[in-house]
Amino acid sequence: MEHQSLPQADSSLVSPPPQPDSSFPAGPKPMGDITQTYGASIFFRRWGAHVIDYILLISFLFGTFALLGRSSKDSSALVFLLVLTLGILGYYVLLEGLTGYTIGKFALRIKAVNERGRPPGVGKSILRSLIRIVETNPLLLGGLPAGISVLATKKKQRLGDLAANTFVVKVKDLDGESKKSVTLYAVVFATLALFSLLIGIFGIASIAKSSPEKKTFFSPDQTLQIYAYSDWKANSSLHPEAVIALSNKSADMHLIVIADPKNELESPFTLQQYTEWVETNLLGDLSEPSVGKPVRLTVDGHLSAQFTAQGTFEGQKVAYLVTVVETSTHFYQIMCVTQARKFADLESELKAISSSFHVAGKTAP
């Protein structure tokens, strides 16, 4: 019996299995796949991004506070709080919430995302930022809680991520962004970074150029006064007989004013004689002394004399600027002292302070 073979199916009539349309987006990768790539590298990237962000944010906050604070000194604390709030709100909440990036994250190619691999949104970003204040604050715990949390958790989440159910992942493990988006982000973030650095530089320059405000210092009876910058402070320990005693400790400058009533002197003195007496007493306290020639000048409308002296006192090379002022009732010694090596740079300031001496009360002629 002959067996007839079954007819073979025409291969042209069999449709191949359907292939996915490559033009249709595949959608976000599931987080289970993304978190498989975690390792030490994501920790160091997060840390590096954190450093970059803090440098830029501090530069912006410091510069803005310096520039705005000068124009509203009475409300400088309020200005600082306002700038701090707006800076954090704009940088972390809006920027990271809407794009998933900060400048540091974009530079190191990592991104904050939600469980679907998309930017976390403003709501989650607010929660992340509120917890960031404690866990990454360099003034509190120095970012230690965030670092421990990232190292200890399976998906390398800091406390803010755990609370908001967000993740920080490598950009390459997400759906690729279009070149247009990457270019746009690069331009925007580069502009923001440059702006922040420039604001910081201008703020530093503004502070460097600004002079301290002048302040009036009075004798205990309010009859004598002298003007000095606000970085000078009263220092009663300088001399027991000083009616005004000031120090600028940061610059190692000191000033005393001594009043000698004429009716209490042993004998009458001329201005020249009294100046020579002051000079003799001063040089007696110095080793290897030298003294400049006295010059005549007018201080507060009174005839005065001024001289400089240098020498070694208690092992230190020191320099003096001494001004003697005569009124109808008193001689006044205005004695300034600083280190000899600094005197040339500080002499003009010491002369300006000495010449601001004013007799305001009953001792005036």
Side-chain angles (χ1 to χ4, degrees):
M1 182 175 181
E2 294 182 359
H3 295 279
Q4 295 182 350
S5 60
L6 295 174
Q8 299 295 319
D10 187 352
S11 60
S12 64
L13 299 178
V14 180
S15 300
Q19 299 295 323
D21 184 358
S22 60
S23 64
F24 191 80
K29 294 181 181 179
M31 288 304 300
D33 292 338
I34 294 174
T35 54
Q36 296 297 321
T37 63
Y38 273 119
S41 62
I42 195 71
F43 171 81
F44 288 111
R45 289 196 192 194
R46 292 191 71 165
W47 178 80
H50 176 73
V51 171
I52 294 172
D53 292 334
Y54 259 88
I55 291 174
L56 295 175
L57 190 58
I58 290 174
S59 176
F60 172 77
L61 293 175
F62 174 79
T64 305
F65 176 67
L67 294 174
L68 296 181
R70 290 185 61 196
S71 62
S72 55
K73 295 181 177 62
D74 294 336
S75 58
S76 57
L78 181 61
V79 171
F80 176 76
L81 290 175
L82 180 61
V83 171
L84 179 64
T85 302
L86 292 178
I88 293 177
L89 178 65
Y91 193 77
Y92 287 111
V93 175
L94 295 180
L95 193 64
E96 193 172 51
L98 297 177
T99 69
Y101 291 117
T102 60
I103 296 175
K105 284 184 174 66
F106 182 80
L108 296 182
R109 306 309 295 146
I110 56 178
K111 188 174 184 178
V113 296
N114 59 21
E115 65 278 5
R116 295 177 299 164
R118 300 302 187 195
V122 173
K124 288 180 179 291
S125 189
I126 289 175
L127 184 56
R128 294 179 84 246
S129 297
L130 287 175
I131 298 177
R132 186 196 302 273
I133 294 175
V134 175
E135 65 170 333
T136 65
N137 191 328
L139 300 180
L140 295 178
L141 297 173
L144 182 61
I148 293 175
S149 179
V150 170
L151 289 173
T153 56
K154 181 179 179 181
K155 296 182 178 180
K156 307 302 179 185
Q157 295 169 286
R158 64 176 179 85
L159 300 178
D161 290 320
L162 291 170
N165 194 26
T166 55
F167 311 86
V168 175
V169 298
K170 298 176 184 177
V171 173
K172 69 178 183 178
D173 296 322
L174 294 167
D175 289 335
E177 293 176 325
S178 67
K179 290 184 178 180
K180 184 177 180 180
S181 296
V182 173
T183 302
L184 178 62
Y185 284 150
V187 171
V188 171
F189 292 149
T191 302
L192 289 175
L194 180 61
F195 176 75
S196 177
L197 293 174
L198 289 177
I199 286 289
I201 292 171
F202 284 137
I204 293 172
S206 175
I207 291 176
K209 289 181 180 179
S210 63
S211 299
E213 294 182 340
K214 283 191 175 182
K215 182 179 178 181
T216 306
F217 295 89
F218 292 93
S219 62
D221 62 1
Q222 302 290 303
T223 60
L224 307 174
Q225 65 186 50
I226 200 164
Y227 297 98
Y229 293 110
S230 57
D231 47 0
W232 287 76
K233 307 295 178 185
N235 184 1
S236 59
S237 65
L238 287 178
H239 196 286
E241 298 180 8
V243 292
I244 298 177
L246 310 175
S247 290
N248 182 337
K249 293 184 178 180
S250 62
D252 197 12
M253 295 186 289
H254 310 276
L255 177 149
I256 61 173
V257 177
I258 297 176
D260 263 338
K262 288 183 175 180
N263 58 9
E264 296 182 8
L265 297 175
E266 295 181 358
S267 60
F269 279 88
T270 65
L271 176 62
Q272 180 178 347
Q273 290 171 332
Y274 186 84
T275 301
E276 291 173 352
W277 177 76
V278 171
E279 179 184 313
T280 300
N281 288 340
L282 176 62
L283 297 183
D285 294 331
L286 302 176
S287 60
E288 302 177 355
S290 63
V291 62
K293 183 178 180 180
V295 296
R296 293 294 182 98
L297 69 161
T298 300
V299 175
D300 192 34
H302 305 293
L303 189 62
S304 307
Q306 189 174 80
F307 66 90
T308 60
Q310 293 194 19
T312 302
F313 181 75
E314 295 183 351
Q316 287 191 335
K317 289 281 188 179
V318 293
Y320 291 84
L321 175 70
V322 182
T323 306
V324 176
V325 180
E326 181 183 14
T327 70
S328 61
T329 59
H330 285 71
F331 285 109
Y332 297 100
Q333 303 174 39
I334 307 170
M335 189 171 297
C336 305
V337 60
T338 187
Q339 295 182 41
R341 62 184 177 83
K342 295 183 177 181
F343 183 72
D345 295 329
L346 302 176
E347 184 177 7
S348 60
E349 180 178 351
L350 296 176
K351 284 184 175 180
I353 295 174
S354 299
S355 64
S356 73
F357 176 77
H358 176 58
V359 182
K362 58 186 178 184
T363 58

